[in-house]
Amino acid sequence: MRKLASIVLFLVITLNSFGQKKNSPLPISHLTGDFYVYKTFHDYNGTLISANAMYLVTDKGVVMFDAPWDETQFQPLLDSIKAKHNKEVIMLFATHSHDDRAGGFDFYRKKGIKTYSIKLTDDILKKENKPRAEFIIPNDKFFTVGQHTFEVYYPGKGHASDNIVAWFDKEKVLYGACFIKSADAKDLGYLADSDVKEWKKSIEKVKAKFKNPKYIIPGHEDWTNTESLNHTLKLVDKYLAQKSSGKK
């Protein structure tokens, strides 16, 4: 009886832990090597939408690529990284000016974390009177942090006029954020700041420049399917075809 009770207790604890992880407002998943993808959630027009972002653990500290969409998770993310890796976040790159990417600039800058954006992003944030990055970087630049080297690249207009991607050549990781739609996406989503015609050209530049990625991280929803970039191109082609034929 005691043994049975112990088994039942173990299952209850295990299931409870699983449920907490599954329903966590800040699930963190190991991608490969020193790379981790985290999700946060935001109520957009009555629908809870997930946003993907990434961080990289280096010998010098942790580099974040985009901030949480949910501002209540700004500090919990730092706490989780510290608890998991015993390292501090030292850098934050925003892939464009929208709140699900650059919304944490003010918070993280006040924490002493170096924040980065390209000038196009800075110009938009300045115009909208929103917190800006401390450092403005060229549209195409290599960074070496600890044992890792990566490239930040502006391919041209797409989801937004200022969207950039990050490429990690050694590991073949392409962090695309909202420039890339999930392979499950049914359409291109929010297009208020998009240039779909240029998006097609920009995708083709990324495909030509960063070949054979093993991991591709889109901005929202499922990130496990590496067909996401090709799928985005199909969605763009479909949109342009419908527009040229007069369909919505």
Side-chain angles (χ1 to χ4, degrees), residues 147-213:
Q147 74 277 33
H148 288 283
T149 296
F150 57 91
E151 182 177 1
V152 172
Y153 175 66
Y154 174 67
K157 297 177 181 179
H159 165 76
S161 62
D162 59 323
N163 47 210
I164 61 174
V165 301
W167 171 251
F168 307 82
D169 189 62
K170 181 180 178 182
E171 299 83 2
K172 302 299 180 186
V173 172
L174 176 62
Y175 178 72
C178 300
F179 178 78
I180 300 176
K181 302 296 294 184
S182 167
D184 294 337
K186 300 297 188 292
D187 55 45
L188 293 174
Y190 182 74
L191 294 175
D193 299 318
S194 304
D195 187 325
V196 183
K197 188 175 181 180
E198 290 300 314
W199 199 344
K200 179 179 174 64
K201 299 176 184 177
S202 301
I203 291 172
E204 290 169 345
K205 287 181 183 178
V206 169
K207 287 171 65 71
K209 186 175 178 66
F210 305 127
K211 298 185 181 298
N212 304 315

Coordinates of all heavy atoms in Angstrom, one line a residue, residues 147-213:
Q147 N 32.7 32.5 -27.5 CA 33.1 31.5 -28.5 C 32.2 31.5 -29.7 O 32.4 30.6 -30.6 CB 33.0 30.1 -27.8 CG 31.6 29.5 -27.6 CD 31.0 30.0 -26.3 OE1 31.2 31.1 -25.9 NE2 30.2 29.1 -25.7
H148 N 31.3 32.4 -29.8 CA 30.3 32.4 -30.9 C 30.5 33.6 -31.8 O 30.7 34.7 -31.3 CB 28.9 32.3 -30.4 CG 28.5 31.0 -29.8 ND1 28.2 29.9 -30.6 CD2 28.4 30.6 -28.5 CE1 27.9 28.9 -29.8 NE2 28.0 29.3 -28.6
T149 N 30.3 33.4 -33.1 CA 30.3 34.4 -34.1 C 29.0 34.4 -34.9 O 28.5 33.3 -35.2 CB 31.5 34.3 -35.1 OG1 32.7 34.5 -34.4 CG2 31.4 35.4 -36.2
F150 N 28.4 35.5 -35.1 CA 27.1 35.5 -35.8 C 27.0 36.8 -36.7 O 27.7 37.7 -36.5 CB 25.9 35.4 -34.9 CG 25.8 36.5 -33.9 CD1 25.1 37.7 -34.1 CD2 26.4 36.3 -32.6 CE1 25.0 38.6 -33.1 CE2 26.3 37.2 -31.6 CZ 25.6 38.4 -31.9
E151 N 26.1 36.7 -37.7 CA 25.9 37.9 -38.6 C 24.5 38.4 -38.4 O 23.5 37.6 -38.4 CB 26.2 37.4 -40.0 CG 26.0 38.6 -41.0 CD 26.3 38.1 -42.4 OE1 26.6 36.9 -42.6 OE2 26.3 38.9 -43.4
V152 N 24.4 39.7 -38.3 CA 23.1 40.4 -38.3 C 22.9 41.0 -39.7 O 23.8 41.7 -40.2 CB 23.0 41.4 -37.2 CG1 21.7 42.3 -37.4 CG2 23.0 40.8 -35.8
Y153 N 21.8 40.7 -40.4 CA 21.7 41.1 -41.8 C 20.3 41.7 -42.1 O 19.3 41.2 -41.7 CB 21.9 39.8 -42.6 CG 21.7 40.0 -44.1 CD1 22.5 40.8 -44.9 CD2 20.7 39.3 -44.8 CE1 22.3 41.0 -46.2 CE2 20.4 39.4 -46.1 CZ 21.3 40.3 -46.9 OH 21.1 40.4 -48.2
Y154 N 20.3 42.8 -42.8 CA 19.1 43.4 -43.3 C 18.9 43.0 -44.8 O 19.7 43.5 -45.6 CB 19.2 44.9 -43.2 CG 18.0 45.7 -43.8 CD1 16.7 45.5 -43.2 CD2 18.2 46.5 -44.9 CE1 15.6 46.2 -43.8 CE2 17.1 47.1 -45.5 CZ 15.8 47.0 -44.9 OH 14.7 47.6 -45.5
P155 N 17.9 42.2 -45.1 CA 17.7 41.7 -46.5 C 16.9 42.7 -47.3 O 16.8 42.5 -48.5 CB 17.0 40.4 -46.3 CG 16.2 40.6 -45.1 CD 17.0 41.5 -44.1
G156 N 16.3 43.7 -46.7 CA 15.3 44.5 -47.4 C 14.0 44.5 -46.7 O 13.8 43.8 -45.7
K157 N 13.0 45.2 -47.2 CA 11.7 45.3 -46.6 C 11.0 43.9 -46.7 O 11.2 43.1 -47.6 CB 10.8 46.3 -47.4 CG 11.4 47.7 -47.2 CD 10.5 48.7 -48.0 CE 11.1 50.1 -47.9 NZ 10.3 51.1 -48.7
G158 N 10.1 43.7 -45.8 CA 9.3 42.5 -45.8 C 8.1 42.6 -44.9 O 7.2 43.4 -45.1
H159 N 8.1 41.9 -43.8 CA 7.1 42.0 -42.7 C 7.0 43.4 -42.2 O 6.0 44.0 -42.0 CB 7.3 41.1 -41.6 CG 6.5 41.4 -40.4 ND1 5.2 41.1 -40.2 CD2 6.9 42.0 -39.2 CE1 4.8 41.5 -39.0 NE2 5.8 42.0 -38.4
A160 N 8.2 44.0 -42.1 CA 8.4 45.4 -41.7 C 9.5 46.0 -42.6 O 10.3 45.3 -43.2 CB 8.7 45.5 -40.3
S161 N 9.5 47.4 -42.6 CA 10.5 48.0 -43.5 C 11.9 47.9 -42.9 O 12.9 48.1 -43.6 CB 10.2 49.5 -43.6 OG 10.2 50.1 -42.3
D162 N 12.0 47.5 -41.6 CA 13.3 47.5 -40.9 C 13.7 46.1 -40.4 O 14.6 45.9 -39.6 CB 13.3 48.4 -39.7 CG 12.2 48.1 -38.7 OD1 11.1 47.7 -39.1 OD2 12.4 48.2 -37.5
N163 N 13.0 45.0 -40.9 CA 13.3 43.7 -40.4 C 14.7 43.1 -40.7 O 15.1 43.2 -41.8 CB 12.2 42.7 -40.8 CG 11.8 42.7 -42.2 OD1 10.7 42.4 -42.6 ND2 12.8 43.0 -43.1
I164 N 15.4 42.6 -39.7 CA 16.6 42.0 -39.9 C 16.6 40.5 -39.4 O 15.6 40.1 -38.8 CB 17.8 42.7 -39.1 CG1 17.5 42.7 -37.5 CG2 18.0 44.1 -39.6 CD1 18.6 43.2 -36.7
V165 N 17.6 39.8 -39.8 CA 17.7 38.4 -39.4 C 19.1 38.2 -38.8 O 20.0 39.0 -39.0 CB 17.4 37.4 -40.6 CG1 16.1 37.6 -41.2 CG2 18.5 37.5 -41.6
A166 N 19.2 37.1 -38.1 CA 20.5 36.7 -37.5 C 20.9 35.3 -38.0 O 20.1 34.4 -38.0 CB 20.5 36.8 -36.0
W167 N 22.2 35.2 -38.4 CA 22.7 33.9 -39.0 C 23.9 33.5 -38.2 O 24.8 34.2 -38.0 CB 23.0 34.1 -40.4 CG 23.7 32.9 -41.1 CD1 25.0 32.9 -41.5 CD2 23.2 31.7 -41.4 NE1 25.3 31.7 -42.0 CE2 24.2 30.9 -42.0 CE3 21.9 31.1 -41.3 CZ2 24.0 29.6 -42.5 CZ3 21.7 29.8 -41.7 CH2 22.7 29.1 -42.3
F168 N 23.9 32.2 -37.8 CA 25.0 31.5 -37.1 C 25.5 30.4 -38.0 O 24.9 29.4 -38.1 CB 24.4 31.0 -35.8 CG 23.7 32.0 -35.0 CD1 22.4 32.3 -35.2 CD2 24.4 32.7 -33.9 CE1 21.7 33.3 -34.5 CE2 23.7 33.7 -33.2 CZ 22.4 34.0 -33.5
D169 N 26.6 30.8 -38.7 CA 27.0 29.9 -39.8 C 27.5 28.5 -39.3 O 27.2 27.5 -39.9 CB 28.2 30.6 -40.5 CG 28.6 29.8 -41.8 OD1 27.7 29.7 -42.7 OD2 29.7 29.3 -41.9
K170 N 28.2 28.5 -38.2 CA 28.7 27.2 -37.7 C 27.6 26.2 -37.4 O 27.7 25.0 -37.7 CB 29.6 27.4 -36.4 CG 30.2 26.2 -35.9 CD 31.0 26.5 -34.6 CE 31.6 25.2 -34.0 NZ 32.4 25.5 -32.8
E171 N 26.6 26.7 -36.7 CA 25.5 25.8 -36.3 C 24.3 25.8 -37.4 O 23.4 25.0 -37.2 CB 24.9 26.3 -35.0 CG 25.9 26.2 -33.8 CD 26.8 27.4 -33.7 OE1 26.6 28.4 -34.6 OE2 27.7 27.5 -32.9
K172 N 24.4 26.7 -38.4 CA 23.4 26.8 -39.4 C 22.0 27.1 -38.8 O 21.0 26.6 -39.2 CB 23.3 25.5 -40.2 CG 24.6 25.1 -40.9 CD 25.1 26.1 -41.9 CE 26.4 25.7 -42.6 NZ 27.0 26.7 -43.4
V173 N 22.1 28.1 -37.9 CA 20.8 28.6 -37.3 C 20.4 29.9 -37.9 O 21.2 30.8 -38.0 CB 21.0 28.8 -35.8 CG1 19.8 29.5 -35.2 CG2 21.2 27.4 -35.1
L174 N 19.2 30.0 -38.5 CA 18.7 31.2 -39.0 C 17.6 31.7 -38.1 O 16.5 31.1 -38.0 CB 18.2 31.0 -40.4 CG 17.5 32.2 -41.1 CD1 18.5 33.4 -41.3 CD2 16.9 31.8 -42.5
Y175 N 17.8 32.8 -37.4 CA 16.8 33.4 -36.6 C 16.1 34.5 -37.5 O 16.7 35.6 -37.7 CB 17.4 34.0 -35.3 CG 16.4 34.7 -34.5 CD1 15.4 33.9 -33.8 CD2 16.3 36.1 -34.4 CE1 14.5 34.6 -33.0 CE2 15.3 36.7 -33.6 CZ 14.4 35.9 -32.9 OH 13.4 36.5 -32.2
G176 N 14.9 34.2 -37.9 CA 14.2 35.1 -38.8 C 13.2 36.1 -38.2 O 12.8 37.1 -38.8
A177 N 12.7 35.7 -37.0 CA 11.7 36.5 -36.3 C 10.5 36.7 -37.3 O 10.2 35.8 -38.0 CB 12.2 37.8 -35.8
C178 N 9.9 37.9 -37.2 CA 8.6 38.0 -38.0 C 8.9 38.1 -39.5 O 7.9 38.1 -40.3 CB 7.9 39.3 -37.5 SG 7.4 39.1 -35.8
F179 N 10.1 38.2 -39.9 CA 10.4 38.2 -41.4 C 10.0 36.8 -41.9 O 9.7 36.7 -43.1 CB 11.9 38.4 -41.6 CG 12.3 38.3 -43.0 CD1 12.1 39.4 -43.9 CD2 13.0 37.2 -43.5 CE1 12.5 39.3 -45.2 CE2 13.4 37.1 -44.8 CZ 13.2 38.2 -45.7
I180 N 10.0 35.8 -41.1 CA 9.6 34.4 -41.5 C 8.3 34.0 -40.8 O 8.2 34.1 -39.6 CB 10.8 33.4 -41.2 CG1 12.0 33.9 -41.9 CG2 10.4 32.0 -41.6 CD1 13.2 33.0 -41.6
K181 N 7.4 33.5 -41.6 CA 6.2 32.9 -41.0 C 6.3 31.5 -40.7 O 7.1 30.7 -41.3 CB 5.0 33.1 -42.0 CG 4.7 34.5 -42.5 CD 4.3 35.4 -41.4 CE 2.9 35.0 -40.9 NZ 2.4 35.9 -39.8
S182 N 5.6 31.0 -39.7 CA 5.6 29.6 -39.3 C 5.1 28.8 -40.5 O 4.3 29.2 -41.3 CB 4.7 29.4 -38.1 OG 4.4 28.0 -37.9
A183 N 5.6 27.5 -40.6 CA 5.2 26.6 -41.6 C 3.7 26.3 -41.5 O 3.0 25.8 -42.5 CB 6.0 25.4 -41.6
D184 N 3.1 26.6 -40.3 CA 1.6 26.3 -40.1 C 0.8 27.6 -40.5 O -0.4 27.5 -40.5 CB 1.4 26.0 -38.7 CG 2.0 24.6 -38.3 OD1 2.2 23.8 -39.2 OD2 2.2 24.4 -37.1
A185 N 1.4 28.7 -40.8 CA 0.7 29.9 -41.0 C -0.2 29.8 -42.2 O 0.2 29.3 -43.3 CB 1.6 31.1 -41.1
K186 N -1.4 30.3 -42.1 CA -2.4 30.3 -43.3 C -2.3 31.5 -44.1 O -2.7 31.5 -45.3 CB -3.8 30.1 -42.7 CG -4.0 28.9 -41.9 CD -3.8 27.6 -42.7 CE -4.3 26.4 -41.9 NZ -3.3 26.1 -40.8
D187 N -1.7 32.6 -43.6 CA -1.6 33.8 -44.3 C -0.4 34.6 -43.8 O 0.3 34.2 -42.9 CB -2.9 34.7 -44.3 CG -3.4 35.0 -42.9 OD1 -2.5 35.4 -42.1 OD2 -4.6 34.8 -42.6
L188 N -0.2 35.8 -44.3 CA 0.9 36.6 -43.9 C 0.7 37.4 -42.6 O 1.6 38.1 -42.1 CB 1.3 37.6 -45.0 CG 1.9 36.9 -46.3 CD1 2.1 37.9 -47.4 CD2 3.2 36.2 -46.0
G189 N -0.5 37.4 -42.1 CA -0.8 38.0 -40.8 C -0.8 39.5 -40.9 O -1.3 40.1 -41.9
Y190 N -0.3 40.2 -39.9 CA -0.3 41.6 -39.8 C 0.6 42.3 -40.9 O 1.8 42.0 -41.0 CB 0.3 42.0 -38.4 CG 0.3 43.5 -38.1 CD1 -0.9 44.2 -37.9 CD2 1.5 44.2 -38.1 CE1 -0.8 45.5 -37.6 CE2 1.5 45.6 -37.9 CZ 0.4 46.2 -37.6 OH 0.4 47.6 -37.3
L191 N -0.1 43.1 -41.7 CA 0.6 43.7 -42.9 C 0.7 45.2 -42.9 O 1.0 45.8 -43.9 CB 0.0 43.2 -44.2 CG 0.1 41.7 -44.5 CD1 -0.7 41.3 -45.7 CD2 1.5 41.3 -44.7
A192 N 0.3 45.8 -41.8 CA 0.2 47.3 -41.8 C 1.5 48.0 -42.1 O 1.5 49.1 -42.7 CB -0.3 47.8 -40.4
D193 N 2.6 47.4 -41.8 CA 4.0 47.9 -42.0 C 4.7 47.1 -43.1 O 6.0 47.3 -43.2 CB 4.7 48.1 -40.7 CG 4.1 48.9 -39.7 OD1 3.5 50.0 -40.1 OD2 4.0 48.6 -38.5
S194 N 4.0 46.3 -43.8 CA 4.7 45.4 -44.7 C 4.8 45.9 -46.1 O 4.0 46.8 -46.5 CB 4.0 44.0 -44.8 OG 3.8 43.5 -43.5
D195 N 5.8 45.4 -46.9 CA 5.9 45.6 -48.3 C 6.0 44.2 -48.9 O 7.2 43.7 -49.0 CB 7.1 46.5 -48.6 CG 7.2 46.9 -50.1 OD1 6.8 46.1 -50.9 OD2 7.6 48.0 -50.3
V196 N 4.9 43.7 -49.3 CA 4.9 42.3 -49.7 C 5.7 42.0 -51.0 O 6.4 41.0 -51.2 CB 3.5 41.7 -49.9 CG1 3.5 40.2 -50.3 CG2 2.7 41.9 -48.6
K197 N 5.6 43.0 -51.9 CA 6.4 42.9 -53.2 C 7.9 42.8 -52.9 O 8.6 42.0 -53.5 CB 6.1 44.0 -54.1 CG 6.7 43.9 -55.5 CD 6.2 45.0 -56.4 CE 6.8 44.9 -57.8 NZ 6.3 46.0 -58.7
E198 N 8.4 43.7 -52.0 CA 9.8 43.7 -51.6 C 10.1 42.5 -50.8 O 11.3 42.0 -50.8 CB 10.1 45.0 -50.9 CG 10.1 46.2 -51.8 CD 11.2 46.1 -52.9 OE1 12.3 45.7 -52.7 OE2 10.8 46.4 -54.1
W199 N 9.2 42.0 -50.0 CA 9.3 40.8 -49.2 C 9.8 39.6 -50.0 O 10.7 38.9 -49.6 CB 8.0 40.5 -48.5 CG 8.1 39.6 -47.2 CD1 9.2 38.9 -46.8 CD2 7.1 39.5 -46.2 NE1 8.9 38.2 -45.6 CE2 7.6 38.6 -45.2 CE3 5.8 40.0 -46.1 CZ2 6.8 38.2 -44.1 CZ3 5.1 39.6 -45.0 CH2 5.6 38.7 -44.0
K200 N 9.2 39.4 -51.1 CA 9.6 38.3 -52.0 C 11.1 38.4 -52.4 O 11.9 37.5 -52.3 CB 8.8 38.3 -53.3 CG 9.1 37.3 -54.3 CD 8.2 37.3 -55.5 CE 8.6 36.3 -56.6 NZ 8.5 34.9 -56.1
K201 N 11.5 39.6 -52.8 CA 12.9 39.9 -53.1 C 13.9 39.6 -51.9 O 14.9 39.1 -52.0 CB 13.1 41.3 -53.7 CG 12.4 41.6 -54.9 CD 12.5 43.1 -55.3 CE 11.7 43.4 -56.5 NZ 11.8 44.9 -56.8
S202 N 13.4 40.1 -50.8 CA 14.2 39.9 -49.5 C 14.4 38.5 -49.1 O 15.4 38.1 -48.7 CB 13.5 40.7 -48.4 OG 13.4 42.1 -48.7
I203 N 13.3 37.7 -49.3 CA 13.4 36.3 -49.0 C 14.4 35.6 -49.9 O 15.2 34.8 -49.5 CB 12.0 35.6 -49.1 CG1 11.1 36.0 -48.0 CG2 12.1 34.1 -49.1 CD1 9.6 35.6 -48.2
E204 N 14.3 35.9 -51.2 CA 15.3 35.3 -52.1 C 16.7 35.7 -51.8 O 17.6 34.9 -52.0 CB 14.9 35.8 -53.5 CG 13.6 35.2 -54.0 CD 13.0 35.8 -55.3 OE1 13.5 36.9 -55.7 OE2 12.1 35.2 -55.9
K205 N 16.9 36.9 -51.3 CA 18.3 37.3 -50.8 C 18.8 36.4 -49.7 O 19.9 36.0 -49.6 CB 18.3 38.8 -50.4 CG 18.2 39.8 -51.5 CD 18.3 41.2 -51.0 CE 18.1 42.2 -52.1 NZ 18.1 43.6 -51.5
V206 N 17.9 36.2 -48.7 CA 18.2 35.4 -47.5 C 18.5 33.9 -48.0 O 19.5 33.3 -47.5 CB 17.1 35.4 -46.5 CG1 17.3 34.4 -45.4 CG2 17.0 36.8 -45.9
K207 N 17.7 33.4 -48.9 CA 17.9 32.0 -49.3 C 19.2 31.9 -50.1 O 19.9 30.8 -49.9 CB 16.7 31.6 -50.2 CG 15.4 31.3 -49.5 CD 14.3 31.1 -50.4 CE 14.4 29.9 -51.3 NZ 14.2 28.7 -50.5
A208 N 19.6 32.9 -50.8 CA 20.9 32.9 -51.5 C 22.1 33.0 -50.6 O 23.1 32.4 -50.9 CB 20.9 33.9 -52.6
K209 N 21.9 33.8 -49.6 CA 23.1 34.2 -48.7 C 23.3 33.1 -47.6 O 24.5 32.8 -47.3 CB 22.8 35.5 -48.1 CG 24.0 36.1 -47.3 CD 23.6 37.5 -46.8 CE 24.8 38.1 -45.9 NZ 26.0 38.3 -46.7
F210 N 22.2 32.6 -47.1 CA 22.4 31.7 -45.9 C 21.9 30.3 -46.4 O 20.7 30.0 -46.3 CB 21.6 32.2 -44.7 CG 22.0 33.6 -44.3 CD1 21.1 34.6 -44.2 CD2 23.4 33.9 -44.1 CE1 21.5 35.9 -43.8 CE2 23.8 35.2 -43.8 CZ 22.8 36.2 -43.6
K211 N 22.7 29.5 -46.8 CA 22.3 28.2 -47.4 C 22.3 27.1 -46.4 O 23.0 27.0 -45.5 CB 23.3 27.9 -48.6 CG 23.3 28.9 -49.7 CD 24.2 28.4 -50.9 CE 24.2 29.4 -52.0 NZ 22.9 29.7 -52.6
N212 N 21.3 26.2 -46.7 CA 21.1 24.9 -45.9 C 21.0 25.1 -44.4 O 21.7 24.5 -43.6 CB 22.3 24.0 -46.2 CG 22.4 23.7 -47.7 OD1 21.4 23.4 -48.4 ND2 23.6 23.7 -48.2
P213 N 20.1 26.0 -44.0 CA 20.0 26.1 -42.5 C 19.4 24.9 -41.9 O 18.5 24.2 -42.5 CB 19.0 27.3 -42.4 CG 18.2 27.3 -43.7 CD 19.2 26.9 -44.7

